[in-house]
Amino acid sequence: MTPTLQIFLIVSAALFSIGLLAALSRRHAIFILIGIEMMLAAANLNFIAFWRFAPKPHQPPVGVMLALFSIAISAAEAAVGLAMVIVAYRHYRTTNVDQLDQLKG
Amino acid sequence: MNGAAFIVISILTLAAALAAATLRKLMHAALSFAVAFVGIAAFFFLLGAEFVGLALVFIYIGAVAVLIVFTILLTRRDIEKDRGFNWSGVIIAVAVFCGLTWAILKTASLSIVAPHIRALTVKRIGEALMTSYVWPLQCIGLLLTAALIGALVLAMEEKR
C-alpha cells in the first residue's frame, strides 16, 4: 500500500485536533503552549505533503520554504511564550490560566 | 514511499502527541512532546524533505523541548496543581477532527499517489534561500533577533 495525499492530510488533521485538545482542555499555561506548537507542526506537515504530491515539481520548492519559515516563526513564538509564562509565574505564583485574570499589574 | 513505515510512524506520532496532551505529569508530557516531534521529523524524511526534518529535530528537540523543560523546572512549585481538565475541549477537538476528515475524504482530487521527483538537495534549498527568498530570510532574521531581545527583556528580573 502506498500512502496517498489523503492519508497524510488525515494524520495531520488528527495531530491538529490533538493540539487543539491540549490547548483547550488543559489549564496549565505550558500545556497550552505545547498544544499550539503541535497545531503549528500539523500545518508544517500539510505544507510538506502538498509540496511532495504536487503534480509538477516547483522550482524553487515553495512548500519546503514555507515550512522552514514557519518553523523559525514558531520557535520565536515558543521563546516569547515561555518567557511570558515565567514572568506570570513570578508575579502571580501560579501558571494556571484560570487564575491569571487581572489586567492590573 | 513505504506503507509499513508510514503506519509505524503515524502510530508513534499520534500516540506521543496524545500522551503529551493528556498526561497529568508535566515532565512526562514534555518528554512525549519531544517524541512526537521525532515522529513528525520522520514524516518529513519519508516525504523526501530531509533538510526540513533535520531542522525540525534541531529546533524542536534541541531548543524548544529543552526550553519547555527549563520552564517547567523554574515554575516547579505549581506542578501538582494541574487538576482541571475541561471536557468540552474534547468534544470540540473531536468535532474539528470529524469535520476535517469529512472534508478531506470528500475531495476526490486529493486521492493521488506521490509522483517521482528529483531529490531535493540542500544545494537547491540554499540557492532558493539566497536568490528568490532572500528578503523573507532577512525578515526572519530580524524577527528572531526581536524575539530574542523581547524574551530577554520579559524574563529579566525587575529592578526594585
Side-chain angles (χ1 to χ4, degrees), chain A residues 65 68-69, chain B residues 51 124-134 137:
Chain A
M65 290 300 145
L68 276 178
F69 288 131
Chain B
F51 181 71
R124 266 175 68 204
I125 295 178
E127 272 170 8
L129 275 179
M130 283 297 134
T131 53
S132 40
Y133 285 92
V134 67
L137 188 70

Side-chain angles (χ1 to χ4, degrees), chain B:
Chain B
M1 224 175 288
N2 195 336
F6 176 82
I7 293 170
V8 170
I9 295 169
S10 49
I11 289 173
L12 172 85
T13 309
L14 292 181
L18 206 58
T22 55
L23 279 183
R24 195 157 291 290
K25 286 226 166 156
L26 212 44
M27 194 56 87
H28 296 179
L31 296 178
S32 341
F33 171 81
V35 175
F37 274 89
V38 172
I40 294 168
F43 269 127
F44 288 0
F45 275 91
L46 192 70
L47 283 165
E50 285 90 357
F51 181 71
V52 188
L54 271 180
L56 197 80
V57 170
F58 289 153
I59 293 171
Y60 274 96
I61 298 157
V64 175
V66 174
L67 211 57
I68 287 176
V69 170
F70 263 106
T71 312
I72 291 170
L73 292 179
L74 282 174
T75 58
R76 183 147 213 177
R77 202 179 305 166
D78 211 38
I79 280 182
E80 302 305 325
K81 288 186 210 149
D82 188 34
R83 292 268 180 275
F85 191 85
N86 197 347
W87 284 99
S88 57
V90 180
I91 300 168
I92 295 172
V94 170
V96 167
F97 177 66
C98 291
L100 284 175
T101 310
W102 174 77
I104 290 165
L105 288 178
K106 213 167 176 290
T107 313
S109 59
L110 290 179
S111 57
I112 46 176
V113 291
H116 282 284
I117 56 167
R118 213 148 44 98
L120 182 70
T121 56
V122 180
K123 185 162 175 277
R124 266 175 68 204
I125 295 178
E127 272 170 8
L129 275 179
M130 283 297 134
T131 53
S132 40
Y133 285 92
V134 67
W135 285 111
L137 188 70
Q138 300 297 324
C139 291
I140 286 288
L142 204 63
L143 176 85
L144 283 175
T145 315
L148 185 72
I149 296 172
L152 270 177
V153 168
L154 270 179
M156 219 157 25
E157 283 286 349
E158 286 171 40
K159 296 262 190 326
R160 304 211 178 266

Side-chain angles (χ1 to χ4, degrees), chain A residues 25-26 37 52 74 87 90 95, chain B residues 21 47 60 78 82 115 154-155:
Chain A
S25 61
R26 305 307 290 252
E37 292 295 322
R52 181 66 182 77
S74 59
V87 173
R90 205 182 281 150
T95 47
Chain B
L47 283 165
Y60 274 96
D78 211 38
D82 188 34
L154 270 179

